[in-house]
Amino acid sequence: MRRMATGLMGLSFLFSVGLLVAGDARTKSGSDKNKVDASIRGFIKAVDPERMSKHLFYLAKDPLPYRKLNLTLPGHQRNTLYEADDYLAGKLEAAGYHVEREGVQVQAFRRDTTKPKNAQYSPPKPEDPWYTAYNLHAEKKGRSHPEKIIIVCAHKDSQSWIDSPGANDNGIGTVGVLEMACVLARYNPECTIRFLWCNEEHTPWTSKTAAQKAKARGDDIVAVFNTDGIGVKTAEQTATGKKTNVSAHTRPEGKRLAELMAEVNTRYAIGLEQRMVERTRPGDDDGSFVLAGYPAAIVTLDQGL
Ligand SMILES: [Zn+2]
C-alpha cells in the first residue's frame, strides 16, 4: 500500500486516457494544443492519493478483508464482493454516474495446496455452488464521437480459493479506475469512456461476458486499458524507491497504446520507469477483449508478466 506510487500509477493511466479523449495533443497546434495540455494537467492535480488510499484500505482491510462471493462476514447480510460492489456503486453515484450491474454466473475456484502458493487455484467441480457475480459499468458519453468507446477496466474481486486481501491484486486497480471515473466526472470527452469493474478471481472471468456482449452489439471499442496489479513490488524493489510501470500488449494495435503510455510519461514528467512488453498470448481482462475481436487492448501492471 504505497500511496504515492499508487497515485502516480493512476496518473500515468489517466494521462493516456486523457490524451485519447481530449484529442491527441501532438497533432494539434497553437491554442488547441495548449488547451489539451492544460486540461490533462488539471486531471493530474485532481488525482487524490489520500482518497485512493482510503478506498484501498476500505476494500482490502477494514471493513472488508476480502472481496469474494464465498465469504460473508459474521452478522452481515451480503457477501464481501457484493459489499464491495455497493461501496463502489455508491461512490460512482455520488459522482453523478448511473451504475449498471451485469450479472454473470460464476463459481469459486478450489484450492490445490500442491501448487506454489501464488497459484493454488484449481477448477471447481460441477457440484460446487454457483453465484451471480456482477460487472459494474459506468459511462461518460462522448460529445463528438459517442460511437467510439474507450474501456478502462479493473477486476475488483480478491482470490476466491484463499483468504487474501488482494490489496495489490487488484484493490489498487479497482481504486485507480474509481479515481479516474471521479476525476473525469465533470469532463465532456470527445469519445465515450466506459469504466468497467469486473471479476477475474472466480470462474469464468466476467470480463469475457462484457467483451462478448459488446461484440454482439457491434460496439466500436477503440481502446481497452486494463489495470491489474499496478504498484505491485517486492520489499526489495520498494526499498530502491523506483517507480516501475509496465504496459503489456498482445497485438500491434495494443502496442500503439503502450507507446502512448511511454509518451505521456515523458510529456507530463510523471517519473515512472516505463517499460513495454509483448504478451505471448491474450491474458487477463484485456485478453477477454482481444479474444472477442478488440485487439487495441493493454494491461498496465508493475513488473511485467
Ligand atoms: Zn489480477
Side-chain angles (χ1 to χ4, degrees):
M1 300 200 188
R2 290 161 293 279
R3 285 180 299 183
M4 288 318 292
T6 305
L8 286 166
M9 299 302 168
L11 287 177
S12 161
F13 228 77
L14 190 61
F15 297 154
S16 291
V17 176
L19 271 176
L20 276 168
V21 297
D24 194 334
R26 296 166 301 182
T27 60
K28 291 185 186 284
S29 59
S31 65
D32 277 355
K33 191 173 175 171
N34 292 340
K35 255 195 225 165
V36 171
D37 264 340
S39 106
I40 290 170
R41 288 181 205 286
F43 295 151
I44 298 168
K45 278 203 183 127
V47 170
D48 184 344
E50 290 298 325
R51 180 168 57 193
M52 292 172 73
S53 179
K54 229 176 88 188
H55 293 324
L56 186 57
F57 275 82
Y58 188 101
L59 293 168
K61 188 170 171 59
D62 183 21
L64 296 175
Y66 320 116
R67 301 171 303 286
K68 53 188 196 172
L69 296 167
N70 50 351
L71 186 113
T72 299
L73 295 172
H76 289 225
Q77 300 299 314
R78 287 159 70 70
N79 66 59
T80 45
L81 185 54
Y82 284 1
E83 287 204 69
D85 288 353
D86 292 344
Y87 180 79
L88 292 168
K91 298 295 170 199
L92 288 162
E93 281 158 5
Y97 287 95
H98 166 72
V99 179
E100 198 182 304
R101 297 184 192 224
E102 175 182 49
V104 182
Q105 293 304 298
V106 303
Q107 290 180 296
F109 282 101
R110 285 194 169 216
R111 184 178 180 189
D112 179 354
T113 51
T114 64
K115 290 186 193 169
K117 207 163 183 192
N118 63 348
Q120 290 187 344
Y121 55 88
S122 68
K125 295 234 169 20
E127 67 268 24
D128 289 350
W130 287 84
Y131 305 88
T132 303
Y134 291 95
N135 285 326
L136 303 184
H137 296 270
E139 184 176 282
K140 288 292 300 178
K141 202 57 136 181
R143 64 191 149 101
S144 314
H145 307 288
E147 75 289 355
K148 295 209 178 301
I149 300 160
I150 295 163
I151 303 273
V152 184
C153 65
H155 77 81
K156 57 187 161 62
D157 53 341
S158 64
Q159 299 174 344
S160 57
W161 61 96
I162 196 170
D163 286 346
S164 165
N168 286 322
D169 187 11
N170 185 32
I172 290 176
T174 299
V175 164
V177 176
L178 176 63
E179 183 68 9
M180 277 184 256
C182 290
V183 166
L184 293 173
R186 282 182 298 280
Y187 178 64
N188 291 315
E190 302 267 0
C191 300
T192 294
I193 308 175
R194 229 179 248 168
F195 301 100
L196 163 66
W197 291 265
C198 49
N199 308 283
E200 199 207 39
E201 309 285 18
H202 298 68
T203 185
W205 297 351
T206 62
S207 56
K208 289 183 183 171
T209 300
Q212 288 162 3
K213 279 194 182 171
K215 195 66 186 176
R217 282 193 303 264
D219 289 359
D220 183 10
I221 296 175
V222 296
V224 177
F225 295 94
N226 179 24
T227 59
D228 199 347
I230 47 176
V232 176
K233 287 180 184 64
T234 62
E236 292 75 34
Q237 289 166 324
T238 302
T240 67
K242 288 182 179 175
K243 295 184 177 70
T244 52
N245 195 52
V246 176
S247 301
H249 64 277
T250 316
R251 306 266 192 261
E253 293 88 340
K255 189 175 181 192
R256 187 180 63 79
L257 299 180
E259 286 165 352
L260 183 61
M261 297 287 283
E263 192 173 331
V264 293
N265 182 46
T266 307
R267 186 181 182 92
Y268 298 100
I270 300 171
L272 297 171
E273 284 188 25
Q274 174 69 17
R275 193 158 62 82
M276 278 171 43
V277 297
E278 187 175 348
R279 282 183 180 280
T280 51
R281 57 176 184 272
D284 294 301
D285 297 311
D286 46 304
S288 298
F289 284 89
V290 173
L291 290 169
Y294 297 112
I298 57 169
V299 61
T300 284
L301 57 170
D302 197 80
Q303 302 175 63
L305 299 164

